[in-house]
Amino acid sequence: MQPNSRFPSLGSASLAAAVAAGVISLAAPGLLGQNPDATVVVDANHPGARISPTMWGVFFEDINFGADGGLYAELVKNRGFEFPEPLTGWSESVPAGGAGSLAIHDDAPFNPANPHYLRLTATAAPGYGVINEGFRGMGVRAGETYLFSTQLRVPEGKPAAIRVELIDPAGAVLGSARIEGTAGGNGWSGVTAGIKPAATCAKARLKVLVEGAGVVDLDMVSLFPEKTWKNRPGGLRADMVNMLAEMKPGFVRFPGGCIVEGHYLTNRYQWKTTIGPVAERRLIMNRWNDEFKHRPAPDYYQSFGLGFFEFFQMCEDIGAEPLPILNCGMACQFNSGELVPLDQLDPYIQDALDLIEYANGGVTTPWGAKRAAAGHPAPFKLKMMGVGNEQWGMPYMDRYPKFAQAIHQRHPEIQLVASAGPAPADNNFRLAWANFRQWHADIVDEHCYAAPSWFLENDTRYDRYDRKGPKVFMGEYAAQSSGVAKPDNTNNLECALAEAAYLTGLERNAEVVRMASYAPLFGQVDAWQWTPNLIWCDNLRVWGTPSYFVQQLFARNRGDRVLPTMGMGVGRVYANAVWDEAAGEIILKVVNPARTATVVATRLSGVLSTGATMREFELAGAGPREVNSADSPNRVRVRSSEVEGVRPDFIRTFKPWSMTVLRIPAKIK
Ligand code: AHR
């Protein structure tokens, strides 16, 4: 039998030789008489490369309403009236018999960084007010508390109260609160109130009414669930962070994605504008607002309520290394490609240096002091940083070394991620790699959005990479069921298994591949621009795609050392094994993307004995087109079980369209 190309023997030359010489037999005694489709031999005695703890991570970008309207739990859209159309998201509300008018002002604002505010002039008794539509509605749950807050000023009159209501799409009141005793005068004051809706509603809206006659100014009108991630006021959506925590990611890449670059440099991501009091974080247009004519999102802006402090804090919460990606003086090359002249890059380089100080500097340093003021005197232990997002060509080759030189000189402890461009093999990719090899770059970020077949055919891609060159970060990838950036792409099981097959090749090559992340991360079902995405949500629910479960299976079963794994036979299964030192377990991952069940004989060579029971995790579905959805989140899911009577030689049938992880307790010779 010839080694099957799906089980390359790279890194396991001794295993291949031992099999060839008959030292390791493929005809396991317990299996004689059976007729497997494939045989897998794992050489447990010769653990290979260490697997980086950052191997499987998360790519976060504010695309598809991933931050505002998604992970950031703020329910009010345009709370500061800073959208170019300052009343976007707001409409007038006139109760029967009431009357009034509204206007946007910017004189004597609450905060000069957020200069616009709303003036409500109520002229007749029951009052007058406004309604905020939220981000495609607001998701509220019966019995839970929602915290309303606003900055308020009463320049004229003495209205009886401010009444706030959560209303359903038909206008029925779900819950309300009344704020009395609003002080008159020219000063702004913050007021708060809790609202407990009596019913759950995915498309609620917020009404703010001035009761009685008077003039009231409002700014930073906000509504958050009380129950956020770790119950932090003004925090993140707990269910969405929980999905990330459940993956056990080794890192979080943030904030993107093309959003780092902007259409033009004016709307690039600038981390310094995303920290400090939220009213001081200047809003900009989200670059995905008008990117796709077929999915316009004219109400998509970045409030930066989820900014760099929140990013670092979330990474710490979920035990992931932060990987910030910074603009390198280049706007998105798919858009304007605007460039900062080479002799004017210093402010951009300084931003990178300052971010390192913000994350790691002592509390007496200027930027470390800002971190401490935000409530985190301890450093965030930043270890790596990306220079540019998805850049290519000579403009990047001219700029990257300037960043690398300055950052490495001041911070040799920081590993830098360099971009190999948008494609996994083209002239730009080759130019980038040729330079990065010469420059001894730390980590190179490769991207690939392609058909499932590309992933199935490229599981051996990294077998050929130079072991001594820069390390690889597969920083963006996803199998596309229809085509790149096509709106009819689906997150089906076929795509997920193609990714899984490919990931066995990354895992086998952990010596070269340091990190990998699927992209994009989140999609809001009513507000997305790009599909497929790893996790989908609506205003109340969040669910994992088959690809999410693949990521979870790899990350939760990462292991510490690669075990030489070889396979033979006709079955088109993909497999790799690793050793988990703490658990004392061999972890074998087997992906069967075929329409037929595959019988695999496994021989664990070099194993003295196996524990009595092994744990199995199986991801499977009824067919390749299966997808999960809000109403059926578990059509494709992981089932776990325990199997008794485990031996170093065993035979197992792998279901069609499945990925299986076997955790086998083992004593090694
Ligand atoms: O993941 C979506 C986009 O794809 C990213 O923003 C960009 O880096 C890539 O082109």
Side-chain angles (χ1 to χ4, degrees), residues 59 61 63 257-259 288 334 389-390 447 449 476 519-520 530:
F59 162 99
E61 177 170 19
I63 183 172
C258 291
I259 209 154
W288 296 104
F334 288 115
N389 169 46
E390 193 176 64
H447 293 182
Y449 298 96
E476 291 186 30
W530 179 293

Side-chain angles (χ1 to χ4, degrees), residues 205-375:
R205 292 173 297 155
L206 176 74
K207 191 189 274 192
V208 183
L209 278 177
V210 176
E211 284 189 356
V215 178
V216 172
D217 294 339
L218 298 173
D219 201 357
M220 297 305 287
V221 185
S222 170
L223 185 75
F224 272 90
E226 187 179 47
K227 285 189 187 164
T228 56
W229 170 252
K230 293 196 175 284
N231 293 328
R232 292 196 183 110
L236 307 180
R237 234 178 96 166
D239 57 348
M240 291 177 75
V241 183
N242 201 43
M243 287 291 282
L244 303 185
E246 288 287 306
M247 277 175 71
K248 300 215 181 304
F251 66 91
V252 179
R253 170 184 172 150
F254 179 95
C258 291
I259 209 154
V260 169
E261 308 157 60
H263 283 321
Y264 294 93
L265 288 164
T266 43
N267 68 337
R268 74 190 188 277
Y269 196 107
Q270 300 187 60
W271 74 267
K272 287 175 180 167
T273 67
T274 75
I275 58 168
V278 286
E280 286 178 10
R281 303 183 190 183
R282 271 184 204 275
L283 175 125
I284 61 169
M285 187 185 94
N286 187 302
R287 60 95 64 220
W288 296 104
N289 177 309
D290 57 0
E291 179 68 20
F292 294 130
K293 300 299 165 243
H294 58 280
R295 296 291 300 178
D299 58 342
Y300 201 2
Y301 285 79
Q302 291 178 270
S303 73
F304 299 114
L306 164 51
F308 256 80
F309 180 81
E310 292 77 17
F311 155 61
F312 282 127
Q313 195 177 41
M314 184 183 79
C315 289
E316 186 175 76
D317 292 343
I318 64 176
E321 297 288 346
L323 170 55
I325 307 287
L326 296 195
N327 189 293
C328 65
M330 299 174 72
C332 185
Q333 290 168 275
F334 288 115
N335 302 131
S336 72
E338 188 185 355
L339 296 174
V340 176
L342 288 176
D343 59 359
Q344 291 168 34
L345 277 177
D346 284 355
Y348 289 73
I349 295 173
Q350 193 58 47
D351 272 358
L353 295 170
D354 290 343
L355 182 64
I356 298 170
E357 184 175 292
Y358 181 73
N360 295 351
V363 296
T364 55
T365 62
W367 290 101
K370 289 186 198 294
R371 181 192 71 242

Side-chain angles (χ1 to χ4, degrees), residues 323-527:
L323 170 55
I325 307 287
L326 296 195
N327 189 293
C328 65
M330 299 174 72
C332 185
Q333 290 168 275
F334 288 115
N335 302 131
S336 72
E338 188 185 355
L339 296 174
V340 176
L342 288 176
D343 59 359
Q344 291 168 34
L345 277 177
D346 284 355
Y348 289 73
I349 295 173
Q350 193 58 47
D351 272 358
L353 295 170
D354 290 343
L355 182 64
I356 298 170
E357 184 175 292
Y358 181 73
N360 295 351
V363 296
T364 55
T365 62
W367 290 101
K370 289 186 198 294
R371 181 192 71 242
H376 202 288
F380 280 119
K381 301 185 188 132
L382 179 67
K383 299 188 184 95
M384 50 193 176
M385 175 181 272
V387 177
N389 169 46
E390 193 176 64
Q391 324 297 164
W392 65 83
M394 283 319 292
Y396 185 56
M397 297 307 130
D398 289 340
R399 284 162 182 74
Y400 172 81
K402 295 192 180 298
F403 282 79
Q405 197 193 14
I407 298 170
H408 278 146
Q409 195 183 4
R410 290 269 304 277
H411 294 283
E413 75 284 6
I414 298 289
Q415 294 261 296
L416 292 182
V417 173
S419 166
D426 63 4
N427 285 341
N428 288 320
F429 181 88
R430 284 183 278 279
L431 171 74
W433 263 103
N435 281 314
F436 297 147
R437 259 192 294 273
Q438 211 184 324
W439 298 336
H440 303 290
D442 300 323
I443 303 169
V444 178
D445 179 12
E446 300 189 350
H447 293 182
C448 183
Y449 298 96
S453 56
W454 185 93
F455 291 90
L456 293 173
E457 286 155 15
N458 280 278
D459 65 312
T460 58
R461 174 183 175 89
Y462 296 108
D463 295 355
R464 298 178 291 276
Y465 270 52
D466 177 6
R467 282 20 219 167
K468 298 201 166 54
K471 301 300 173 201
V472 170
F473 170 29
M474 189 72 203
E476 291 186 30
Y477 65 87
Q480 314 283 300
S481 67
S482 174
V484 182
K486 291 257 180 80
D488 56 344
N489 281 322
T490 61
N491 280 103
N492 63 32
L493 181 59
E494 179 186 19
C495 288
L497 293 174
E499 290 150 7
Y502 180 67
L503 297 187
T504 61
L506 270 60
E507 186 182 77
R508 183 175 61 249
N509 287 287
E511 195 177 357
V512 170
V513 182
R514 183 74 64 79
M515 309 158 77
S517 47
Y518 181 103
L521 182 61
F522 290 123
Q524 217 281 10
V525 276
D526 295 326

